[in-house]
């Protein structure tokens, strides 16, 4: 508080973000200072390069998709703070008192699903799944093995036999997973 | 046998002495196992009582029988047999089949309860008993140090008892791992506090200096960190050895058991925490061993481990029962009552204080019901009993009273709490789980979420659980796995493992369904 970054954030902006995302003002200010420290050119928005400059993120196998998911809403190649916060709001832990449309179980799942579904046709195809598997598993495994893993995964989830995983099938396959826990982060106050 | 005058060739003779020890051991195991079968044949009993209660009960019956027949009074549960032979299998089983992910996710909470919680319980129980002693209610002198020594051994939650009860009720995984993890990790604290107060009692109050307390704190770090390190080193060594066993598959299980046991003895040798050593040995080796050994060896290991631990557990509870029946009890009603009251009250207070602290840092907040089950599930067991037997009655004059009281507390927790916890869990509607293998979708999407969360943590510049796990995994995949595994297949071994397991299951099912056509 009181540092340079918090001065740049106007009160009504904080209120709007708070309203929309459910973050507390303290969390917003904290995240804003992180946002400005990522913003190397001081232009109030982040580019893909700004994200990929984070060393740990750059070696994350899914870095490209994660960064991509931040740009889903923006039409140009920059994210402003509000868009940044909207994406992060998906990872807020679910509390009974503070319901919010962005961090419900379904929204969390939808967020994960859209990261698979690159062409946004509402279905995960075999190739989309394979692409993710390639990123996660690495190069030491034979192509056939990966293909059969992908096929098996689709077969398991696919209930309407279209060889794809729709969002409903995706949710059903993760019915017993504690998504509320797995996709939540404790944001510091 | 009547003596014969002429030396003829004896056709048959009884030579009991030669086989006495192994024969008695065999008989104990045999009867304990028979008793276990017996309970499962009466479903009414096994639904109402946890197995541990019934085993203690059978133990008491046998003890009474032995006492009334005036046969040589045997004391089968000595501290040495307990710590060297009966405890290691149970702890190894627990460590080896530990859900690693869950354990490390909740490590902060577990450590808070195991370390700070146990110290809190020891000091409060010891001090309160001492304070009550000042009023003369016990009818004997109760020095502060003796009380603290007693507090140290009585305040440790027992992994054997907790496992025995919690395995049967299947509470949700968070509750399970917190209580069970606490019972495993508090060993280091118990060992240190116990040895510390033991040494202090021998030195006497007058010669204590503040440096002794600092030494106590330092020795806690040594005992805990040392035990853990010994375990981890032996765990890696086991991984390395199994890398070369592909020509001699039959001895694979040997390495797992012997090396884990050596880790335990190795730690005990240096007075470090053997329980921590063998737990972490199990946790460490599992990652590497499972990739190296054959499917059949894996099955052997699994079942041998389960068998050893469940028979150890059976015998421990039965021996506890047998050990109860003897003539050396010193019953002190007030002392027993107050100990039980303080144990329960401070457990509850401790759980509430420390879970309030933990909740400040946790994603999943511990709710009231969970707090209650945690405080209620703090069972005391054979570790306390073995420790109280280790006290030298020459130094601590109250030792016989301590023994009786410890037994009473164990009975109270195992019987009253053990029997009521199952219905309580039902009444309070605690979430329960069934164990199952992950499906392909769950495996992949959950891994995907882990990577995603690690990425988000990095974007936030926050070094949380996901970030640490990611870091370790990367290190593991680059520097450890290539050296310890025979067929190193790159990252994400779990996805492959799940796949091959599912494929194997499908193949077996297919074979069974189409047996006639093949």
């Amino acid at each position: 508080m009181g540092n340079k970054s918090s001065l740049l954030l106007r009160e009504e902006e904080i209120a709007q973000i708070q309203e929309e995302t459910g973050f507390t003002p303290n969390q917003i200010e904290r995240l804003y200072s992180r946002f400005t420290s990522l913003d190397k050119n001081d232009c109030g928005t982040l580019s893909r390069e700004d994200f990929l400059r984070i060393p740990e993120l750059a070696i994350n196998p899914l870095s490209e998709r994660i960064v991509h998911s931040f740009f889903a809403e923006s039409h140009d190649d920059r994210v402003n703070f509000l868009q940044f916060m909207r994406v992060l709001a998906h990872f807020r832990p679910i509390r009974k008192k503070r319901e919010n449309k962005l961090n419900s179980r379904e929204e969390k799942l939808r967020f994960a699903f859209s990261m698979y579904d690159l062409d946004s046709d509402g279905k995960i195809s075999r190739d989309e799944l394979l692409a993710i598997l390639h990123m996660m598993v690495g190069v030491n495994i034979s192509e056939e093995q990966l293909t059969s893993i992908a096929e098996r995964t689709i077969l398991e989830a696919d209930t309407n036999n279209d060889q794809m995983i729709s969002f409903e099938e995706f949710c059903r396959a993760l019915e017993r997973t504690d998504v509320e826990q797995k996709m939540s982060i404790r944001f510091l106050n | 046998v009547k003596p014969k005058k002429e030396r003829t060739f004896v056709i048959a003779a009884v030579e009991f002495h030669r086989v006495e020890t192994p024969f008695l051991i065999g008989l104990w195991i045999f009867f304990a196992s028979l008793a276990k079968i017996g309970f499962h044949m009466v479903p009414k009993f096994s639904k109402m009582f946890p197995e541990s209660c019934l085993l203690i009960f059978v133990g008491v019956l046998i003890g009474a029988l032995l006492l009334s027949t005036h046969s040589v009074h045997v004391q089968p549960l000595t501290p040495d047999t307990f710590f060297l032979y009966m405890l290691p299998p149970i702890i190894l089983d627990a460590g080896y089949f530990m859900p690693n992910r869950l354990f490390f996710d909740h490590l902060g909470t577990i450590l808070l309860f195991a370390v700070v919680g146990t110290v809190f319980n020891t000091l409060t129980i010891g001090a309160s008993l001492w304070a009550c002693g000042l009023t003369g209610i016990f009818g004997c002198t109760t020095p502060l140090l003796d009380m603290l020594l007693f507090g140290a051994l009585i305040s440790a939650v027992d992994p054997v008892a907790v496992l025995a009860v919690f395995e049967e009720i299947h509470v949700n995984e968070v509750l399970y791992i917190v209580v069970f993890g606490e019972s495993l990790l508090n060993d280091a604290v118990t060992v240190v506090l116990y040895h510390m107060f033991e040494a202090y009692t021998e030195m006497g109050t007058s010669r204590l200096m503040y440096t002794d307390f600092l030494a106590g704190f330092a020795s806690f770090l040594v005992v805990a960190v040392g035990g853990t390190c010994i375990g981890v080193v032996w765990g890696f060594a086991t991984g390395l050895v199994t890398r070369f066993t592909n020509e001699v598959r039959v001895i694979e299980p040997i390495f797992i058991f012997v090396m884990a046991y050596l880790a335990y003895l190795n730690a005990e040798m240096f007075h470090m925490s053997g329980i921590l050593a063998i737990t972490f040995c199990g946790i460490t080796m599992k990652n590497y061993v499972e990739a190296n050994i054959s499917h059949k060896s894996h099955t052997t290991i699994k079942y041998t481990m389960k068998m050893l631990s469940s028979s150890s557990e059976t015998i421990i509870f039965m021996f506890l029962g047998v050990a109860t029946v003897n003539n050396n009890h010193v019953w002190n009603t007030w002392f027993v009552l107050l100990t039980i009251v303080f144990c329960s009250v401070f457990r509850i207070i401790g759980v509430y204080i420390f879970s309030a602290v933990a909740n400040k840092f946790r994603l999943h907040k511990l709710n009231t019901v969970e707090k209650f089950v945690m405080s209620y599930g703090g069972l005391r067991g054979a570790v306390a009993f073995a420790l109280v037997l280790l006290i030298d009655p020459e130094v601590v004059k109250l030792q016989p009273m301590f023994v009786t009281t410890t037994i009473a507390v164990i009975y109270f927790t195992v019987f009253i709490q053990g029997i009521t916890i199952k219905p309580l869990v039902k009444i309070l509607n605690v979430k329960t789980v069934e164990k199952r293998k992950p499906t392909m979708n769950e495996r992949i999407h959950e891994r995907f979420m882990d990577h995603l969360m690690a990425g988000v943590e990095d974007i936030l510049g926050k070094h949380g659980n996901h970030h640490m796990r990611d870091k370790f995994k990367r290190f593991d995949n680059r520097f450890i796995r290539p050296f310890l595994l025979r067929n190193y297949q790159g990252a994400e071994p779990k996805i492959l493992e799940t796949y091959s397991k599912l494929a194997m299951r499908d193949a077996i099912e297919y074979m069974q369904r189409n047996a006639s056509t093949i």
Side-chain angles (χ1 to χ4, degrees):
Chain A
M1 275 197 276
N3 53 8
K4 191 179 131 247
S5 61
S6 66
L7 292 174
L8 298 170
L9 208 56
R10 275 175 296 127
E11 221 144 89
E12 58 265 32
E13 277 180 309
I14 295 184
Q16 188 207 346
I17 294 170
Q18 191 186 355
E19 170 75 19
E20 209 173 310
T21 59
F23 282 110
T24 66
N26 270 343
Q27 288 170 331
I28 295 173
E29 282 191 23
R30 208 176 247 280
L31 290 169
Y32 189 67
S33 84
R34 177 68 184 169
F35 183 83
T36 45
S37 76
L38 289 177
D39 178 17
K40 288 279 184 283
N41 307 329
D42 280 326
C43 53
T45 52
L46 296 182
S47 66
R48 280 171 209 266
E49 289 67 46
D50 286 328
F51 280 104
L52 291 170
R53 219 175 281 130
I54 305 168
E56 287 95 347
L57 184 67
I59 45 175
N60 189 312
L62 299 176
S63 56
E64 191 198 311
R65 291 291 171 99
I66 295 171
V67 173
H68 184 74
S69 64
F70 277 86
F71 293 89
E73 275 186 51
S74 70
H75 301 292
D76 49 1
D77 268 357
R78 323 243 1 140
V79 230
N80 62 27
F81 185 56
L82 182 61
Q83 291 163 334
F84 182 72
M85 293 301 278
R86 269 198 211 120
V87 174
L88 289 180
H90 288 101
F91 305 110
R92 282 186 45 242
I94 300 175
R95 294 269 175 281
K96 280 195 188 96
K97 284 167 278 175
R98 289 186 279 146
E99 281 292 336
N100 188 286
K101 55 188 184 305
L102 284 175
N103 69 342
S104 67
R105 180 190 166 95
E106 199 189 319
E107 277 308 312
K108 285 176 194 292
L109 280 169
R110 201 175 282 286
F111 187 86
F113 184 82
S114 65
M115 285 179 71
Y116 282 95
D117 183 20
L118 207 55
D119 56 8
S120 356
D121 64 346
K123 288 182 190 296
I124 301 176
S125 69
R126 198 191 74 158
D127 290 335
E128 282 167 340
L129 190 58
L130 256 180
I132 294 284
L133 278 174
H134 263 294
M135 294 175 192
M136 293 205 298
V137 178
V139 285
N140 289 19
I141 290 165
S142 70
E143 196 62 32
E144 302 97 83
Q145 215 168 357
L146 272 188
T147 314
S148 50
I149 289 179
E151 274 165 3
R152 156 116 221 168
T153 309
I154 290 182
L155 185 76
E156 196 184 80
D158 186 21
T159 44
N160 59 1
N161 289 323
D162 62 350
Q163 315 300 322
M164 309 238 227
I165 303 179
S166 66
F167 182 62
E168 285 68 40
E169 287 163 347
F170 184 74
C171 292
R172 208 170 305 124
L174 291 176
E175 226 167 23
R176 289 180 298 190
T177 300
D178 193 0
V179 180
E180 293 90 335
Q181 282 294 312
K182 283 219 155 63
M183 286 189 61
S184 294
I185 284 188
R186 211 173 53 80
F187 290 92
L188 296 174
N189 257 314
Chain B
V1 189
K2 60 179 174 183
K4 294 199 170 150
K5 273 171 194 155
E6 62 266 57
R7 291 172 60 85
T8 52
F9 187 74
V10 187
I11 298 167
V14 178
E15 199 181 7
F16 184 61
H17 263 298
R18 198 168 145 235
V19 296
E20 189 179 358
T21 317
F23 190 74
L24 283 180
I25 296 172
L27 273 186
W28 279 118
I29 298 176
F30 175 64
F31 279 114
S33 311
L34 267 192
K36 206 165 171 156
I37 300 179
F39 308 139
H40 286 279
M41 288 168 77
V42 192
K44 238 193 211 159
F45 266 26
S46 52
K47 257 195 200 131
M48 211 155 33
F49 304 104
E51 217 173 70
S52 40
C53 297
L54 297 167
L55 285 167
I56 289 185
F57 184 68
V58 172
V60 170
L61 287 185
I62 294 179
L65 199 75
L66 288 177
L67 195 71
S68 64
T69 53
H70 296 286
S71 58
V72 233
H73 186 69
V74 277
Q75 173 58 281
L77 188 63
T78 63
D80 264 356
T81 51
F82 175 73
F83 281 119
L84 296 185
Y85 305 113
M86 298 198 281
L87 193 57
I90 300 174
I91 307 297
L92 176 63
D93 177 55
Y96 193 83
F97 294 106
M98 171 81 77
N100 285 0
R101 171 75 190 268
L102 206 58
F103 179 72
F104 286 107
D105 275 356
H106 297 275
L107 191 61
T109 313
I110 293 173
L111 278 177
L112 180 69
F113 276 101
V115 178
V116 190
T118 308
V119 172
F120 170 82
N121 274 331
T122 301
L123 295 182
T124 47
I125 293 173
S128 318
L129 283 174
W130 173 73
C132 291
L134 289 183
T135 62
I137 199 172
F138 302 138
C140 52
T141 54
T142 49
L144 178 61
L145 281 177
D146 290 17
M147 289 299 131
L148 286 173
L149 178 65
F150 181 66
L153 67 90
I154 206 72
S155 61
V157 174
D158 184 71
V160 184
V162 167
L163 265 181
V165 168
F166 274 65
E167 291 264 278
E168 283 179 47
I169 54 176
H170 304 293
V171 291
N172 67 61
E173 41 186 17
V174 176
L175 255 183
Y176 174 80
I177 203 72
V178 171
V179 177
F180 174 56
E182 178 198 347
S183 71
L184 275 182
L185 298 196
N186 69 16
D187 176 61
V189 184
T190 312
V191 168
V192 171
L193 286 177
Y194 179 82
H195 285 304
M196 205 163 84
F197 289 126
E198 199 184 27
Y200 291 170
T201 358
E202 274 166 25
M203 286 156 63
T205 334
S206 51
R207 285 168 43 211
L208 274 183
M209 286 183 293
Y210 72 97
T211 46
D212 291 319
F213 293 101
L214 290 182
F217 184 72
S219 86
F220 162 70
L221 287 182
V222 171
V223 166
V225 177
T228 310
C229 287
I230 289 177
V232 171
V233 168
W234 277 98
F236 282 133
T238 317
L240 187 64
V241 170
T242 52
R243 185 185 169 158
F244 303 104
T245 52
N246 50 334
E247 296 297 325
V248 266
R249 293 286 194 194
V250 279
I251 58 167
E252 275 171 347
I254 284 284
F255 285 118
I256 316 301
F257 290 107
V258 169
M259 292 180 80
Y261 191 48
L262 284 175
Y264 181 82
L265 295 180
N266 205 189
E268 290 283 308
M269 191 159 74
F270 297 120
H271 274 284
M272 287 172 184
S273 164
I275 294 189
L276 276 182
I278 202 166
T279 307
F280 278 94
C281 185
I283 290 179
T284 314
M285 70 159 79
K286 177 175 61 181
N287 285 327
Y288 310 107
V289 162
E290 285 192 344
N292 280 335
I293 60 175
S294 70
H295 259 285
K296 278 186 180 158
S297 299
H298 184 233
T299 313
T300 312
I301 290 166
K302 185 173 166 185
Y303 285 99
T304 314
M305 220 174 253
K306 290 278 171 222
M307 182 195 74
L308 285 177
S309 70
S310 90
S311 35
S312 280
E313 191 186 285
T314 310
I315 294 170
I316 287 173
F317 282 115
M318 203 159 99
F319 278 2
L320 262 180
V322 174
T324 319
V325 191
N326 63 49
N327 294 325
N328 313 325
H329 282 302
V330 179
W331 178 266
N332 186 328
T333 312
W334 276 113
F335 191 69
V336 170
L337 270 182
L338 284 175
T339 307
I340 291 178
V341 169
F342 288 145
C343 275
S344 322
V345 170
F346 287 122
R347 171 84 190 163
I348 295 172
I349 295 176
V351 165
Y352 274 81
I353 293 176
F354 297 117
S355 49
V357 175
N359 273 348
K360 288 227 177 299
F361 302 98
R362 288 174 58 87
L363 198 57
H364 168 101
K365 311 282 183 216
L366 297 164
N367 59 34
T368 318
V369 170
E370 283 168 332
K371 281 182 214 167
F372 178 74
V373 176
M374 277 164 69
S375 44
Y376 207 75
L379 304 172
R380 315 301 208 268
V383 171
F385 184 67
L387 283 176
V388 79
L389 289 183
L390 275 177
I391 299 178
D392 186 357
E394 298 288 307
V395 180
V396 180
K397 295 278 180 281
L398 295 170
Q399 195 256 5
M401 184 175 90
F402 286 171
V403 176
T404 307
T405 311
T406 307
I407 291 177
V409 173
I410 295 174
Y411 273 53
F412 177 79
T413 59
V414 171
F415 275 86
I416 311 282
Q417 291 178 212
I419 291 175
T420 48
I421 198 165
K422 222 193 232 172
L424 264 176
V425 162
K426 269 209 187 110
I427 293 168
L428 294 173
N429 234 336
V430 179
K431 250 205 291 177
T432 53
V433 283
E434 71 215 88
K435 275 202 175 154
R436 60 189 177 79
K437 297 245 158 37
T439 64
M440 211 57 238
N441 272 284
E442 283 168 342
R443 187 60 101 190
I444 289 178
H445 303 320
E446 284 174 14
R447 257 328 269 155
F448 178 85
M449 290 174 191
D450 288 345
H451 281 304
L452 166 63
M453 296 317 283
V456 174
E457 279 187 1
D458 293 332
I459 290 178
L460 296 177
K462 177 174 172 288
H463 295 233
N465 268 352
H466 293 281
H467 173 84
M468 298 306 276
R469 188 184 312 114
D470 221 45
K471 233 176 176 162
F472 172 74
K473 282 220 156 152
R474 220 171 283 137
F475 180 78
D476 191 35
N477 282 328
R478 262 188 73 191
F479 299 110
I480 305 179
R481 285 184 177 269
F483 293 103
L484 297 189
L485 302 192
R486 199 180 313 119
N487 294 318
Y488 176 60
Q489 285 191 298
E492 299 303 336
K494 285 279 169 64
I495 290 181
L496 278 179
E497 187 190 300
T498 305
Y499 175 69
S500 60
K501 267 186 190 156
L502 289 171
M504 177 96 108
R505 200 186 63 197
D506 286 353
I508 291 174
E509 262 172 27
Y510 180 81
M511 294 271 281
Q512 282 169 343
R513 233 177 305 134
N514 303 308
S516 55
T517 59
I518 298 168

